[in-house]
Amino acid sequence: MQKPRLISDDGKRTDGRRPDELRQMKMEVGVLKNADGSALVEMGNTKVISAVFGPKEMHPKHLALPDRVAIRARYHMTPFSTDERKSPAPTRREVEISKILRETLESSVILEMFPRAEIDVFTEVIQADAGTRLASLIASSLALADAGIPIKDLIAGVAVGKADGVLVLDLNEQEDMWGEADMPVAMMPSMGQVVLLQLNGTMSSDEFRKGLEMATKGIEVIYNLEKETLKKKFAEYSEE
Amino acid sequence: MRKLSITPSTNHIVPLIKKEVILSMLERETRIDGRKPNEYRPISIELGYAKKADGSASVRIGDTAVLAGVKVEDREPFPDVPDQGNLIVSLELPPIAHESFEAGPPDENAIELSRVVDRSIRDPKALDLSKLVIVPNKKVWNVWVDIYVIDYGGNILDTSTVAAIAALYHTKLPRVEIEGDTIKILKETKEARLPMRFPVFSVSVGKIGRHLILDPSTEEEGLVDCKISFSYTPDLNIVGIQKMGNGGFTMAEIDAAEKVARSAVPNLFKEFKTKVLDSLGVEGIDVGKV
């Protein structure tokens, strides 16, 4: 396959966005009946569902931590989430992302409140179209809040990349595949903490710093949308 | 392979008294092994440590020792990339390296580390896969890089990256004779080097409280809130980042960590140039240019 042009002459991207423009986002909490907390997140054509169970007794028991709650996280892609069918068995990529999501969520949950217990956070990717780890993180963070688990702050995240030499916010699939860099960033915005940061591809020192600034602005928008989503659910409750 | 990622219970436990010593020393800008916060440990590289491998390197950074071996194999290319060879990076944390390492298939830590090393080599095309074609659409080289951590003294990632790159530089491909439709691989006659374009260096920075420390040791890794690793080409472009651990960095800390990491590249490169590039007769690569 030939690399398409990622930035057109008028500076627009393949999906018509400006370089610093986010994709259309949709967030909804409480989408599953059985889970203690759940959320659906869509970023463009990427769609994920997260579920939270717990806090509950740790299983297996010998893995319980005496001073804090253990988080069990799974990031999983459904076989039909990609262009070619993906085997449902966990890939090395899914193992890595599960670990990264767990560590990131551990930074937001007040772990010491539930010693010896576990909290399960499961995410299924329904449609994969770039940015699935960040959509999963947003959905997981919303699901934790929806479950009423005490957190220090919500986590919001977005990727910054480089397409035909231009820094772009919130990559789409073509930019993910053909671009020169992909840098997912997630923060707890009110605490000013960067809790997830990765880069694959190449950036100069200058591009790296400009990229972080660009991500911070996108994260602010996503963070506000997360808060709106949660407020909306509880506003509906108070009207009932 | 475990299906879930679970908060581990056996993070290297550091005695409270040692923790207090480390923290109070950091307040005075020194570390328990006498280093300054932004000081890297000495590195040593030895090529050809495993003679049966097509290329190998033994690398030490402080007390951490890592062995990397490369094996090449002629294979049919994958149908979606018929004009490219393949790079496969694996990393093992065998029980000989530390009492906390368990025998068995690679756990999430080993998988994460191998993927970070893989990305640092693959994304900037440090190894030119398009030059690993024997006969287009028919035969290409598969390059297997197996990284073995044999002694754990902190900062496995940086040591593993150097070991992998050094072993790749050291690798020689078997001779190939093509007559009409037959492709003969002469395994006993090794001649051409792998198409390496430049080395890549990973530099890790840990955060303990408000202190940033370069190249953390085992004890320090037991205390860090989180770590961040940057990978660099010789011309100091960033070609990989991985933040690890469950703490967070402020933007100012990330900025500072990147500057500290960058400052360590020239020294790593110096050792790499003497022990690898010069000894193999590779010319034209220097810090500041590719």
Side-chain angles (χ1 to χ4, degrees), chain B residues 56-127:
Chain B
S56 63
S58 162
V59 174
R60 285 176 180 276
I61 292 180
D63 292 332
T64 294
V66 172
L67 206 53
V70 174
K71 281 284 197 185
V72 296
E73 251 178 8
D74 54 294
R75 278 289 164 90
E76 275 180 31
F78 287 112
D80 54 334
V81 275
D83 50 357
Q84 267 192 19
N86 298 297
L87 169 73
I88 306 104
V89 179
S90 316
L91 186 146
E92 299 250 1
L93 302 171
I96 62 165
H98 197 262
E99 59 185 350
S100 67
F101 296 173
E102 298 277 352
D107 64 3
E108 61 179 22
N109 298 310
I111 289 173
E112 178 184 35
L113 289 167
S114 69
R115 287 179 55 83
V116 175
V117 175
D118 180 291
R119 289 197 285 261
S120 299
I121 301 171
R122 190 182 302 273
D123 290 341
K125 298 188 172 67
L127 174 63

Side-chain angles (χ1 to χ4, degrees), chain B residues 190-208:
Chain B
K190 291 179 185 162
E191 31 188 37
R193 299 257 175 227
L194 283 178
M196 289 294 289
R197 294 171 63 223
F198 46 79
V200 175
F201 301 96
S202 152
V203 185
S204 298
V205 179
K207 177 187 163 183
I208 301 180

